[in-house]
Each structure stands twice: as C-alpha cells, then as structure tokens.
Amino acid sequence: MNERAALDVVGGLVAGAGDDAAVVDDTVFTIDMLHEATDFPAGTTRYTAGWRSVGASLSDVAAMGADATAAVGVYGAPEFEEGELRAYVEGALDVCEAVDAEYVGGDLDGHEEFTVATAAIGRADDPVLRSGATAGDALVVTGTLGRTAAAMQRFESGNVEAANELFRFEPRVAAGRALAECATAMMDSSDGLARSLHQLAEASDCGFAVDAERVPVADELRGSVDDPLDAAVSYGEDFELVATVPQSAVDQVREATAVPISVVGEVTDAGVTLDGEPLADRGWTH
C-alpha cells in the first residue's frame, strides 16, 4: 500500500480528513514526521533540520489561511549530542519567529534513526479547504518552484552550505492569510505542483489547465538539472501555496502580499493538463 492508498484508508475512517490541517472550531492543527533516510540528506545540519521540520507543519497552517500560533516537536536520535540538540531547537525557534509563532517545546526519545515529529496550531475564522475550486477560477502559486530539487542537487555535489540555505524556507503564513480573503481552495505544494493539482481536482471535483511558460521555475534550478520545468512541477517539497481564486481577485491578492503570486493556469471542468497534455500524478513520495 502506498501513501495515497494509506491516506484513503484513514480518510474513510476519520470524518473531515483530507485537508492540510484538521479544523476544530476556529483552531487548525497539523502534525508531521520526518526521517533522516527520506527527508534529511547527508550534510543537512541539525539547525536546518529544526527549521525545515517545524516549517513543514507551519506550512500546513498557512495552507488553511490561518495565523500560526505555536509549534512543538519530538526529537528522536540514537544519542543526544548537546551541540546537535541545541542547533535543532535554534532552527525551530527561528522558523517560528519568522512567522510570529512560538516554539513551545516537545519531547525527546531514543531512536535508531534521527527522526522528528512536529505539530503546529493556528487560528482561522474561515479556513480555506481543498474543496471549493470552481471552473473559471485562476490557479495561482506563491514564490518559485524547484528550490528543494536544486538543494538536493547541491547536497549530491557536496555543496552543502548552499544546499542547507535552499532547504530552509519561510512558511507562507502571511501569504496564506492574504489569499484566504478570496481563495476558493488552497493547499501547500509539499507533494509537488502536479500531485497537488490532482489532489485539489479530486477534492473539488474539477480539473486544471496549466500553462508551462507561466510556471515560476526557481533560478537556482536552472542549469542544475536536465529538465528544470519537470523538476519544478513534479519534484515537490517546496512548501509554496497552491490556490484557486476568482479571476477578478488576482490583483487584490498580489497587492496584499509581498510574496510573488503567479497565475499558472485556470480551473476547468475535468482533467489535469500541462499545455494541453495530461499532467501525470507524480510528486514527492514519503
């Protein structure tokens, strides 16, 4: 059973499952687990691991259009080394500070592999779900896509300083709040743009038509891989926001946030395409 099939099982048992975070009254809550083997390449510093792991949960809060309130983490490792533990917590503290949230502690556990679990909460009067996209809406993304693919290339080539810098991203909490004013559906791009669109299409019973020339490919990716567009669309783990908004609200959204907003396509009745050709459901696999 792959991850998608496993999530379907959970969704069939838990009412309301399927969005980036759970909603309880005006509180959104999310939890993530990351492992050294799948999420932290050789050369990833503990500071970067703290920033990235907590940032992943804060990104889920952002995807609901919520204000981020606080985060906690579980740190598991074969042994506790003071310098590594301090660096991890400092990274967690700094990413929370970047989005006006608090890192409020967590738990420690011995584990055969460096593993972290992080949870974050936020507040939203009217959280944005994945299920409201309507044919004719504009499809928008924040920032650029392909940053993590570029980071992985640098890890593999031994340029770990640049790789760690690329691995640390700012969760789009402020942009999520701005988009929430008019977004009809939203999620983050942790699984990649292509897979995110298939998930949104399923949740909203719609389709998407993407214009390749309008996809904001990260500059760091160009020259790093053979096909920058494919990596930007399908690699994943970028933690940008993917949203649908009425065409009439695009300028409003752009004016409301300092983060670049790119219109990459529009919502259709069915199918997910890139320049008119089917866009496969490919992306990050945990």
Side-chain angles (χ1 to χ4, degrees):
M1 181 181 293
N2 61 26
E3 184 187 17
R4 288 293 299 278
L7 289 172
D8 287 342
V9 171
V10 175
L13 297 170
V14 180
D19 286 289
D20 288 61
V23 180
V24 181
D25 296 327
D26 63 349
T27 299
V28 302
F29 177 87
T30 185
I31 189 165
D32 296 279
M33 181 179 289
L34 288 82
H35 301 275
E36 187 167 30
T38 54
D39 300 290
F40 303 124
T44 304
T45 65
R46 284 292 194 265
Y47 178 85
T48 295
W51 179 294
R52 188 171 179 84
S53 59
V54 174
S57 292
L58 292 169
S59 180
D60 285 335
V61 170
M64 304 299 291
D67 286 316
T69 304
V72 297
V74 178
Y75 179 105
E79 60 183 24
F80 300 128
E81 198 279 322
E82 181 178 351
E84 291 183 345
L85 181 57
R86 283 183 176 274
Y88 178 86
V89 174
E90 287 168 357
L93 287 166
D94 286 351
V95 73
C96 283
E97 182 179 358
V99 296
D100 296 324
E102 291 187 86
Y103 186 70
V104 293
D107 191 20
L108 299 173
D109 191 16
H111 199 280
E112 62 184 14
E113 176 190 15
F114 173 52
T115 299
V116 294
T118 60
I121 62 172
R123 292 192 178 278
D125 293 330
D126 190 16
V128 184
L129 307 181
R130 299 180 180 182
S131 53
T134 302
D137 285 346
L139 172 65
V140 304
V141 298
T142 60
T144 60
L145 303 176
R147 185 181 174 97
T148 289
M152 295 298 287
Q153 185 276 333
R154 285 157 177 77
F155 276 123
E156 291 169 3
S157 68
N159 189 358
V160 296
E161 183 176 353
N164 275 278
E165 183 177 348
L166 287 168
F167 236 35
R168 297 190 294 269
F169 62 93
E170 183 171 329
R172 301 304 194 189
V173 174
R177 291 297 302 135
L179 282 161
E181 294 296 319
C182 52
T184 54
M186 186 158 61
M187 66 182 295
D188 81 2
S189 67
S190 58
D191 289 338
L193 178 63
R195 180 151 293 166
S196 296
L197 294 182
H198 280 273
Q199 293 170 342
L200 284 172
E202 182 178 355
S204 289
D205 191 21
C206 67
F208 293 96
V210 180
D211 183 346
E213 290 187 354
R214 302 170 81 177
V215 175
V217 178
D219 289 340
E220 297 88 350
L221 190 57
R222 300 184 187 279
S224 299
V225 298
D226 293 335
D227 191 340
L229 175 64
D230 182 70
V233 169
S234 300
Y235 195 90
E237 289 289 275
D238 285 324
F239 300 99
E240 295 293 346
L241 298 180
V242 182
T244 58
V245 300
Q247 298 282 354
S248 60
V250 171
D251 288 342
Q252 174 188 333
V253 168
R254 284 175 165 158
E255 292 171 2
T257 177
V259 176
I261 302 289
S262 300
V263 177
V264 298
E266 67 176 11
V267 182
T268 61
D269 290 326
V272 179
T273 63
L274 178 68
D275 286 349
E277 297 296 324
L279 178 61
D281 183 358
R282 295 188 294 126
W284 185 263
T285 301
H286 299 273

